[in-house]
C-alpha cells in the first residue's frame, strides 16, 4: 500500500507539473502574440471614455483628486509635510487601484468571453493578460502624477527607485497569479463577482 500511495502521490504531482507546464507554455505564446489582449483592453478603455470631452485623460482624474486634494487634507490632519506624505500615498493608491481592478475584472472575465473560449483559438492566458493589461493602462495613465510627486519629494533616492526593477515584475506576477485563480473560481461560482465587489 505504501508503493501504491507513492504512485498516487507521484501521479498527482505529475498532473500538477503538467498543468504548470501547460500554463507556462500558453503564457509564453500569449506574450509573443499580444494583439488580442493588448488591443482589446485598450479598446475597452477608449470606448468607455469616447463620449467625454477629454477622452482617456479622464483616467488621471481619480488619482489626481484623491492624492493631491484629499492627500493634502490627510497630511494636515496627521501633521505630515505634504512633500513627504503625498508620494507614499500616491504609490500606495495607484498599486491598490491595480489590485482592485484585477480582482473585480478577474471574477467574470471567463464567463464574459465564453464564445471566444469555445472558439478554441485563444489560450486562457490571453484573458488573464487582458485583465492585467487593462489595469496597467490605468496605472500608466496615472504615472505622470506619480513621477511629478516623486520628483518633488525630498524623500526620493535613486537607489530606492532602482528596487522597482525587482519589485514591479514580482508585483505583476502576483497579479497574474491572482487573476488566474479568481478567473477560474469565478467561472465555477458565478457569485464570486458579487462577493468581490462587496
Amino acid at each position: 500500500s505504501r508503493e501504491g500511495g507513492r504512485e498516487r502521490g507521484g501521479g498527482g504531482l505529475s498532473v500538477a507539473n503538467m498543468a504548470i507546464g501547460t500554463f507556462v507554455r500558453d503564457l509564453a505564446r500569449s506574450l509573443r502574440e499580444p494583439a488580442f489582449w493588448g488591443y482589446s483592453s485598450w479598446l475597452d478603455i477608449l470606448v468607455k471614455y469616447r463620449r467625454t470631452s477629454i477622452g482617456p485623460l479622464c483616467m488621471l482624474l481619480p488619482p489626481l483628486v484623491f492624492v493631491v486634494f484629499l492627500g493634502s487634507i490627510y497630511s494636515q490632519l496627521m501633521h505630515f509635510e505634504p512633500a513627504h506624505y503625498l508620494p507614499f500615498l500616491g504609490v500606495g493608491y495607484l498599486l491598490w487601484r491595480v489590485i482592485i481592478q484585477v480582482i473585480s475584472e478577474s471574477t467574470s472575465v471567463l464567463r464574459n468571453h465564453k464564445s471566444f473560449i469555445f472558439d478554441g483559438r485563444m489560450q486562457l492566458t490571453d484573458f488573464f493578460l487582458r485583465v492585467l493589461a487593462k489595469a496597467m493602462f490605468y496605472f500608466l495613465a496615472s504615472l505622470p502624477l506619480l513621477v511629478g510627486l516623486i520628483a518633488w519629494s525630498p524623500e526620493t533616492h535613486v537607489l530606492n527607485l532602482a528596487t522597482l526593477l525587482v519589485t514591479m515584475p514580482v508585483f505583476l506576477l502576483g497579479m497574474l497569479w491572482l487573476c488566474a485563480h479568481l478567473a477560474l473560481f469565478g467561472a465555477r461560482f458565478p457569485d464570486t463577482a458579487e462577493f468581490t465587489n462587496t
Side-chain angles (χ1 to χ4, degrees):
S1 69
R2 252 184 224 165
E3 289 177 8
R6 277 187 201 136
E7 285 174 13
R8 283 194 297 274
L13 196 58
S14 65
V15 169
N17 287 339
M18 284 175 30
I20 291 170
T22 302
F23 179 81
V24 170
R25 273 195 307 276
D26 288 349
L27 181 61
R29 195 175 309 141
S30 295
L31 289 172
R32 281 195 303 268
E33 300 168 6
F36 168 73
W37 56 266
Y39 181 70
S40 64
S41 56
W42 178 242
L43 195 61
D44 275 356
I45 293 169
L46 290 180
V47 167
K48 180 178 179 180
Y49 294 112
R50 75 177 169 195
R51 293 182 185 266
T52 62
S53 56
I54 59 173
L57 286 175
C58 285
M59 294 189 291
L60 184 59
L61 289 180
L64 185 68
V65 169
F66 184 85
V67 174
V68 175
F69 296 111
L70 290 177
S72 299
I73 295 169
Y74 294 159
S75 66
Q76 296 301 318
L77 290 174
M78 293 186 284
H79 306 293
F80 289 128
E81 286 293 323
H84 294 278
Y85 178 70
L86 292 184
F88 291 104
L89 180 67
V91 170
Y93 176 72
L94 292 182
L95 292 179
W96 177 247
R97 198 171 173 214
V98 170
I99 294 167
I100 290 300
Q101 286 172 337
V102 167
I103 288 173
S104 60
E105 295 261 337
S106 297
T107 52
S108 58
V109 69
L110 295 181
R111 283 185 291 111
N112 291 345
H113 295 91
K114 278 193 292 192
S115 57
F116 288 106
I117 294 168
F118 289 149
D119 190 34
R121 283 185 285 183
M122 283 184 261
Q123 295 82 25
L124 292 181
T125 50
D126 286 328
F127 303 103
F128 305 153
L129 287 173
R130 184 180 191 276
V131 169
L132 189 58
K134 191 172 178 184
M136 288 311 294
F137 279 133
Y138 278 95
F139 179 81
L140 292 174
S142 306
L143 210 53
L145 170 67
L146 192 57
V147 169
L149 289 171
I150 289 172
W152 173 58
S153 174
E155 292 287 322
T156 303
H157 302 290
V158 176
L159 286 177
N160 292 348
L161 293 176
T163 61
L164 290 172
L165 299 172
V166 176
T167 55
M168 276 310 283
V170 170
F171 175 74
L172 292 175
L173 281 174
M175 289 297 96
L176 183 63
W177 177 88
L178 183 66
C179 177
H181 284 77
L182 284 177
L184 295 173
F185 199 78
R188 177 65 182 88
F189 303 105
D191 293 338
T192 307
E194 295 303 319
F195 282 116
T196 55
N197 287 336
T198 303

